[in-house]
Amino acid sequence: MGKLDLLLATGGIVCTVISIYQLVALGLASFYTLFSVGMSLIISGIHNAFSEQRLFSGWSIVQMAGFWILMLIVSVIIDSVGMRAGYWEYPHYGKADRVRKYVFEWGVALFYHFAALVAGIKILNRKGLDLRASLPLSLLIFVTAVGFLTESLNQKVSSWQVVSMPITNLRIGDYFLVFQTIGYWLMALIPFTIYKLFERRTLQTRRN
């Protein structure tokens, strides 16, 4: 792990520790803001440690801005559809929390689930698996694990609260099966698709 990745991981650990303090000691539903930042930094560092190419390597400022703007737009759309369908709600949030919620607790949160997916792919590649095998396995192992960690912490303060799910409302304990699987997998696959679209554009720009 290089110095920059070590710095990212250190910053991520600090943010995550503070967020856990906010959760456990203060009972703040807004703990998820720093937790999302912390997880993004930690998992990005892990990815870079196992990959020959860093995330966003060779991207221009315009391309990075485009990626994050699209991530924000997608976040607003997903959340709006989910709330209107009655899939989840925010017991402690009001209109004043919207910017923080969409930027950090959706946009950045989507990113760390994506980072978990690509980090898992790189780790499994090191084990000799190609993308066809490593992508679904990374979803099943790494993204599911990160999703379970996220949900287990959230249930202590209900930053969000899952109300119902499509397909089935089957639960395992306090966890909705669809949300913990398909839900979190989509939270990784959607930014993965967006990233790949921008990455392809970056490669085309280099060739030209």
Side-chain angles (χ1 to χ4, degrees):
M1 182 177 286
K3 290 183 179 180
L4 180 56
D5 296 321
L6 185 60
L7 184 62
L8 286 175
T10 302
I13 291 170
V14 171
C15 289
T16 304
V17 169
I18 294 173
S19 74
I20 298 301
Y21 174 78
Q22 291 177 322
L23 170 69
V24 176
L26 304 179
L28 296 177
S30 59
F31 88 97
Y32 195 47
T33 294
L34 274 180
F35 182 79
S36 296
V37 174
M39 290 292 284
S40 294
L41 294 175
I42 291 170
I43 300 175
S44 293
I46 293 172
H47 169 275
N48 295 339
F50 282 90
S51 176
E52 295 179 357
Q53 184 170 313
R54 306 172 60 83
L55 289 171
F56 302 111
S57 177
W59 287 36
S60 68
I61 294 176
V62 172
Q63 288 165 323
M64 289 188 66
F67 170 82
W68 284 107
I69 289 171
L70 187 52
M71 286 278 281
L72 183 58
I73 293 171
V74 167
S75 296
V76 173
I77 292 172
I78 294 172
D79 189 47
S80 298
V81 170
M83 286 194 293
R84 288 187 179 183
Y87 294 149
W88 56 76
E89 60 186 14
Y90 300 90
H92 306 290
Y93 286 10
K95 292 182 179 180
D97 300 298
R98 284 182 179 176
V99 173
R100 175 173 56 80
K101 182 182 75 169
Y102 286 126
V103 173
F104 295 100
E105 301 184 7
W106 264 106
V108 177
L110 284 176
F111 178 79
Y112 83 74
H113 290 290
F114 153 72
L117 173 62
V118 291
I121 289 172
K122 294 302 180 182
I123 291 170
L124 292 170
N125 288 160
R126 290 283 187 94
K127 301 294 183 180
L129 299 179
D130 61 15
L131 183 62
R132 289 176 296 178
S134 62
L135 193 152
L137 277 177
S138 182
L139 281 175
L140 186 62
I141 299 170
F142 295 93
V143 175
T144 300
V146 169
F148 178 76
L149 171 63
T150 299
E151 193 64 25
S152 63
L153 293 174
N154 172 65
Q155 289 195 6
K156 299 180 185 299
V157 291
S158 294
S159 182
W160 63 90
Q161 188 170 9
V162 181
V163 179
S164 68
M165 281 283 102
I167 305 174
T168 176
N169 281 323
L170 179 64
R171 299 189 193 192
I172 300 176
D174 295 325
Y175 303 88
F176 281 82
L177 179 61
V178 171
F179 192 75
Q180 291 303 129
T181 54
I182 298 173
Y184 278 106
W185 296 343
L186 287 174
M187 287 182 69
L189 285 172
I190 291 171
F192 178 79
T193 302
I194 294 172
Y195 184 89
K196 287 299 181 181
L197 288 173
F198 276 90
E199 187 177 53
R200 184 178 301 174
R201 183 69 178 272
T202 302
L203 291 174
Q204 289 175 347
T205 301
R206 285 179 181 175
R207 289 168 184 168
N208 295 334

